[in-house]
Amino acid sequence: MSDPVINSALSKKLGLLEEEYERIIKILGRTPTYTELGIFSVMWSEHCSYKNSILEIKKLPRSGERLLVGAGEENAGLVDIGDGLAVAFKIESHNHPSAVEPYQGAATGVGGILRDIFTMGARPVAALNSLRFGMISNEDENSKEQTSRNKFLFKNVVKGIGDYGNCFGVPTVSGEVYFENCYNDNPLINAMAVGIVKHNTTATAEAGGVGNPVFIVGSSTGKDGIHGATFASEEISEDSESKRPNVQVGDPFTEKLLLEATLELINSGAVVGIQDMGAAGITCSTSEMSAKGKCGMKIDLDKVPLRDKGMSSYEIMLSESQERMLVVIEKGKEKIAEEIFEKWDLNIARIGEVIKDDRIKIFYKGKLEADVPAYELVLGGGAPVYERERSFPLYLNKKREFKADEITVPEDLNNILIRLLSSPNITNKSWVYEQYDTQVRTNSVVLPGGDASVIRIKGTDKALSVKTDCNGRYVYLNPYKGGITAVCESARNVVCTGAKPIAITNCLNFGNPYNPEVYYQFSEALKGIGDACKVLNTPVTGGNVSFYNQSKDHAVYPTPVIGMLGLIENTENIMTSHFKNEGDVIFLISGNYIREGNEISIGSSEYFRLNNVEPEGDAPDIDINEEKKVQELILELISQRLINSAHDISDGGLAVALAECCIMNRQNPAGCEVQIEYKGRKDFELFSETQSSFIVSANETNADLITGIVLKNSQRCKRLGIVTGKKFRINSDIELETDELTGAYFGSIDKILSE
């Protein structure tokens, strides 16, 4: 089949703007070939170039004392944790593929992020995820057909994540799952991975050394995933279902072999540079590695192992077939590389060499199919950069008219608490994480279900605490405050395990950037994230932008997911969230800016959501400096061994947090007897989602010392009550058996999915 006519109309079909097509002609000095046009279209897509986001991303804090490799420098960020060890970690989205093919979309999202970690020379030790779907309860306002589809997506995404991670052999230890109508057409599937590497065994994604051979290793190349990067850079529509071929197909068993072969190859000293073939496949890896090394590559596609006959140069260059790497080997060490990959029964093929000219020269069947300057293709090089129009979202004017006192005071607070504990956004997600192997490699110390998960580092006294977090409702109501809260909440979660927050990665999920209101959400949320990271000293090590999470009906809530990394220097200081000893004192410790009742934030809460689909009002107030102080205070109490548990207040407010402290240890639940002196409406004080607040428990003998330390640090401290037997009591307003709490909290997802 002959190539189509090259013109601006074709370039538009491939996702390029007319001015971008004209720019390509100017760069090349001629009309591009079909293969060249395909190369530019994927490299200049939003997914690869960040052309609509990079100016805002550059405002984020990307330096810190522990940072060894920062955002955009390599396949993943790298953070020093002492003792000659570093942590590689990163989060990325696989939203669009999962919307049309949930199992493979989610599975290959896991595979891709794992490759980003081990191409750094790091062995993956943990996987995490952050998931968003449309509502799955039949009680919600969706049609039966929509609810059924949401359940289908949910079940198959979880299965895809579990199957890939379990077969690969990495524990999936933490995550979050939310359900909102705005994700009906656009589920968000964000995958995160964490790895450990010695400082002197890291690898780079930079090509170099004229004459050095270039190898493709791993799986064969097929037609799956062609134009996947372009697909991820457009809105979901009625035509999206026809783009199933844009979804890659994963093989976790091959990936496991590729992991071992890659780490052995890096440790052999034969590697000059190595990069995963993710988005845009051979196109991306050849151009980015060359641009970084200020060199070029000459590639012969006839040498690429193919699993589909008759592939064109265009298809080979744009294929996103999984489990592949591009490797530059030091000349003279080719045999070392070949023997390693032959031992692991994987393809290894020499497909080219590094050249002096800064150009990617692609040959196929004796013909020069592409001759493109590498620098002009890449982010930070010649790829276009735009600052889009932004405007204050008009919907917020209406939202801010919300009056909390119009909410009817409920008569039965017992019923409210049970409904909250049963609601899909709060209820325990054991249905999800029990499908994951959470303990493979025997490093998992604190398992999923609490604030954050903890992975010990063998051979040391250290451990890592990891968590993903974001409340899209908060960001929707107030992008700036919502961005701050996403960082602070994820930091709070790792603090509750005894870990000091040290760095973040982020996955920025938004609608169409050409919509000025969406771009306002994006820029303000990033401003909030940046301000929070500066105060908490958690630099941004990298991540992912996912725009176009939007259908003809609506955009998703702006959802900038934060992947937080915390460090525990001594595993003896690991803390958990559940109450442990009958008779222990229960304290509420919070920042001193907190107002009693906190009524203005109730419209963003899960309590409000019980009877209202859309949030109203404003996001909860938060003060970053006070947040930092209270987090440091909790870490001080943990390090001095003064408290027995720590849990932060988040979704569902104080009453839900207390209930979780009682029942999180499902095998041995506890009760509590709590007295609260209400300053405002009791339902607001019990269920508003007050920020910068922790529930801790401690031996009675430490109570006065704890109070003194808190007051010395100018924070707020309230003695709420004590841990008791099997009754859960708050004043005379809520009185339930712990069995009732446990049944509501642990059983609702199974029940909903069986309906």
Side-chain angles (χ1 to χ4, degrees):
M1 188 177 90
S2 60
D3 289 346
V5 176
I6 309 300
N7 54 34
S8 60
L10 176 61
S11 71
K12 184 177 180 180
K13 287 184 179 179
L14 298 182
L16 291 164
L17 302 174
E18 186 168 348
E19 58 265 34
E20 291 172 346
Y21 176 68
E22 296 299 326
R23 184 172 173 179
I24 292 168
I25 293 175
K26 186 174 181 180
I27 288 170
L28 297 177
R30 55 178 170 79
T31 301
T33 67
Y34 184 48
T35 299
E36 288 171 337
L37 188 63
I39 288 171
F40 274 101
S41 72
V42 291
M43 291 305 297
W44 284 8
S45 68
E46 179 64 38
H47 191 73
C48 291
S49 74
Y50 291 4
K51 58 188 177 185
N52 293 310
S53 56
I54 189 60
L55 292 178
E56 297 299 321
I57 291 172
K58 284 183 175 180
K59 298 175 184 178
L60 295 171
R62 301 194 288 176
S63 61
E65 58 185 35
R66 291 183 178 272
L67 207 57
L68 301 175
V69 173
E73 296 177 25
E74 294 290 350
N75 291 303
L78 204 60
V79 178
D80 179 25
I81 58 169
D83 296 336
L85 297 174
V87 177
F89 73 119
K90 189 180 182 184
I91 189 170
E92 285 194 341
S93 65
H94 235 222
N95 302 337
H96 283 54
S98 300
V100 299
E101 215 324 298
Y103 180 85
Q104 289 295 349
T108 52
V110 174
I113 199 66
L114 288 169
R115 289 194 299 279
D116 281 338
I117 299 305
F118 64 79
T119 51
M120 296 289 293
R123 180 173 291 277
V125 295
L128 301 84
N129 51 71
S130 175
L131 312 176
R132 302 290 192 286
F133 302 93
M135 293 180 181
I136 60 171
S137 173
N138 291 329
E139 296 177 0
D140 295 320
E141 64 175 21
N142 282 326
S143 67
K144 186 176 181 180
E145 181 183 9
Q146 182 66 64
T147 301
S148 177
R149 180 176 184 272
N150 292 340
K151 288 182 179 181
F152 169 79
L153 292 173
F154 176 41
K155 290 177 180 179
N156 283 277
V157 163
V158 170
K159 183 171 174 54
I161 291 170
D163 285 357
Y164 202 100
N166 296 351
C167 295
F168 177 82
V170 63
T172 303
V173 297
S174 191
E176 58 172 0
V177 187
Y178 280 90
F179 303 92
E180 304 281 0
N181 271 344
C182 67
Y183 303 113
N184 276 340
D185 299 324
N186 292 267
L188 302 184
I189 314 304
N190 296 177
M192 178 176 165
V194 182
I196 301 290
V197 62
K198 293 180 180 178
H199 287 196
N200 60 354
T201 60
T202 58
T204 180
E206 181 177 314
V210 175
N212 277 336
V214 178
F215 286 83
I216 188 171
V217 300
S219 292
S220 299
T221 298
K223 293 185 178 182
D224 52 322
I226 294 172
H227 263 299
T230 309
F231 176 46
S233 303
E234 62 187 20
E235 293 180 9
I236 293 288
S237 67
E238 294 176 355
D239 297 328
S240 296
E241 188 67 19
S242 66
K243 298 186 178 181
R244 281 179 180 269
N246 289 337
V247 180
Q248 311 94 319
V249 177
D251 180 352
F253 297 105
T254 297
E255 177 115 333
K256 173 62 175 173
L257 298 176
L258 186 59
L259 159 71
E260 301 300 343
T262 299
L263 294 183
E264 186 175 340
L265 181 63
I266 291 170
N267 289 328
S268 75
V271 174
V272 174
I274 182 169
Q275 182 163 322
D276 161 45
M277 286 189 190
I282 296 175
T283 293
C284 189
S285 52
T286 54
S287 56
E288 289 185 347
M289 291 180 72
S290 296
K292 188 173 291 186
K294 296 181 173 59
C295 58
M297 288 185 188
K298 180 181 177 182
I299 300 295
D300 183 357
L301 297 184
D302 291 291
K303 304 292 179 60
V304 176
L306 302 178
R307 65 169 178 264
D308 291 314
K309 294 182 179 180
M311 291 182 69
S312 67
S313 60
Y314 178 97
E315 291 171 325
I316 297 171
M317 288 299 291
L318 271 62
S319 168
E320 295 182 8
S321 293
Q322 295 292 283
E323 292 89 37
R324 300 179 301 158
M325 303 280 194
L326 193 74
V327 191
V328 177
I329 298 295
E330 186 179 331
K331 195 171 184 178
K333 296 184 178 180
E334 297 92 338
K335 192 166 183 58
I336 294 174
E338 290 166 352
E339 288 178 349
I340 289 172
F341 277 83
E342 286 168 4
K343 181 181 82 172
W344 290 101
D345 197 24
L346 292 168
N347 288 324
I348 178 167
R350 178 172 178 166
I351 64 169
E353 63 178 312
V354 176
I355 60 176
K356 183 178 181 180
D357 294 341
D358 173 26
R359 302 190 76 81
I360 305 300
K361 298 186 177 184
I362 306 299
F363 292 85
Y364 191 45
K365 297 181 178 179
K367 181 183 176 183
L368 180 62
E369 294 283 356
D371 184 357
V372 180
Y375 178 83
E376 298 290 350
L377 293 171
V378 301
L379 168 67
V385 175
Y386 304 112
E387 183 169 7
R388 294 298 173 198
E389 181 185 353
R390 70 198 74 187
S391 63
F392 184 81
L394 295 179
Y395 71 84
L396 287 180
N397 292 325
K398 182 69 174 174
K399 294 291 181 183
R400 300 289 161 79
E401 295 175 2
F402 169 71
K403 293 180 174 57
D405 58 11
E406 294 178 357
I407 300 174
T408 302
V409 180
E411 295 181 4
D412 186 350
L413 294 179
N414 281 339
N415 175 259
I416 295 295
L417 180 56
I418 291 296
R419 288 178 64 196
L420 282 169
L421 291 172
S422 305
S423 65
N425 285 350
I426 290 178
T427 191
N428 187 274
K429 306 306 189 298
S430 57
W431 182 90
V432 175
Y433 60 73
E434 285 177 359
Q435 298 187 52
Y436 304 151
D437 189 334
T438 58
Q439 300 182 65
V440 63
R441 301 189 61 81
T442 67
N443 294 320
S444 305
V445 180
V446 178
L447 299 177
D451 291 292
S453 295
V454 177
I455 299 291
R456 70 187 175 104
I457 303 173
K458 288 179 179 175
T460 75
D461 293 328
K462 301 177 188 291
L464 301 176
S465 180
V466 288
K467 187 67 169 70
T468 57
D469 207 283
C470 178
N471 189 316
R473 290 180 146 234
Y474 295 173
V475 190
Y476 174 70
L477 290 175
N478 192 316
Y480 177 69
K481 279 202 293 188
I484 291 173
T485 302
V487 176
C488 292
E489 165 69 5
S490 59
R492 235 176 280 143
N493 286 327
V494 302
V495 164
C496 285
T497 66
K500 178 180 175 59
I502 59 174
I504 76 161
T505 178
N506 57 41
C507 198
L508 308 172
N509 306 275
F510 288 81
N512 191 327
Y514 292 85
N515 180 328
E517 292 191 355
V518 168
Y519 206 77
Y520 175 92
Q521 293 172 336
F522 177 72
S523 60
E524 285 295 298
L526 261 67
K527 184 174 185 294
I529 290 170
D531 287 352
C533 286
K534 289 170 188 173
V535 173
L536 298 182
N537 193 24
T538 53
V540 182
T541 63
N544 175 232
V545 177
S546 177
F547 279 138
Y548 303 100
N549 294 290
Q550 188 160 338
S551 65
K552 60 182 177 62
D553 295 324
H554 48 244
V556 301
Y557 289 154
T559 313
V561 174
I562 304 299
M564 179 63 70
L565 179 70
L567 177 63
I568 299 171
E569 293 283 2
N570 186 342
T571 53
E572 292 185 1
N573 288 337
I574 293 173
M575 183 59 60
T576 54
S577 58
H578 60 273
F579 294 151
K580 298 175 179 65
N581 308 313
E582 191 167 348
D584 275 1
V585 183
I586 302 169
F587 288 101
L588 172 63
I589 298 174
S590 55
N592 66 12
Y593 71 96
I594 302 297
R595 291 188 298 276
E596 300 288 354
N598 212 20
E599 289 89 351
I600 66 164
S601 69
I602 204 71
S604 61
S605 68
E606 285 294 321
Y607 171 55
F608 182 77
R609 187 182 186 273
L610 287 179
N611 297 304
N612 302 272
V613 174
E614 288 295 318
E616 301 287 342
D618 199 351
D621 285 340
I622 189 165
D623 182 303
I624 313 171
N625 293 299
E626 289 295 314
E627 174 78 36
K628 182 179 182 181
K629 290 177 184 177
V630 76
Q631 288 186 19
E632 290 175 342
L633 172 61
I634 297 298
L635 287 175
E636 180 182 350
L637 296 177
I638 292 173
S639 66
Q640 292 190 33
R641 316 278 172 85
L642 294 176
I643 59 177
N644 298 325
S645 70
H647 184 41
D648 74 309
I649 293 178
S650 57
D651 301 334
L654 173 62
V656 166
L658 283 167
E660 289 172 337
C661 290
C662 288
I663 62 176
M664 201 67 76
N665 182 0
R666 191 174 181 179
Q667 285 69 41
N668 189 26
C672 69
E673 185 81 41
V674 167
Q675 289 292 320
I676 297 173
E677 184 181 347
Y678 299 124
K679 302 296 185 182
R681 280 181 49 167
K682 63 177 67 175
D683 56 331
F684 289 175
E685 292 200 34
L686 290 172
F687 304 120
S688 71
E689 296 167 4
T690 309
Q691 299 298 297
S692 311
S693 299
F694 295 82
I695 295 169
V696 305
S697 65
N699 298 339
E700 176 68 54
T701 53
N702 293 328
D704 290 342
L705 183 56
I706 290 169
T707 302
I709 292 173
V710 175
L711 296 178
K712 181 181 177 182
N713 284 271
S714 301
Q715 304 302 301
R716 295 164 61 95
C717 183
K718 287 184 180 180
R719 181 168 176 154
L720 296 180
I722 60 171
V723 179
T724 61
K726 301 299 181 183
K727 282 279 189 181
F728 180 88
R729 292 190 183 94
I730 300 178
N731 295 8
S732 59
D733 303 306
I734 297 177
E735 182 171 337
L736 293 161
E737 298 288 338
T738 55
D739 286 348
E740 295 177 84
L741 303 178
T742 301
Y745 187 64
F746 287 99
S748 65
I749 292 289
D750 298 73
K751 181 180 177 182
I752 290 170
L753 292 178
S754 65
E755 291 174 346

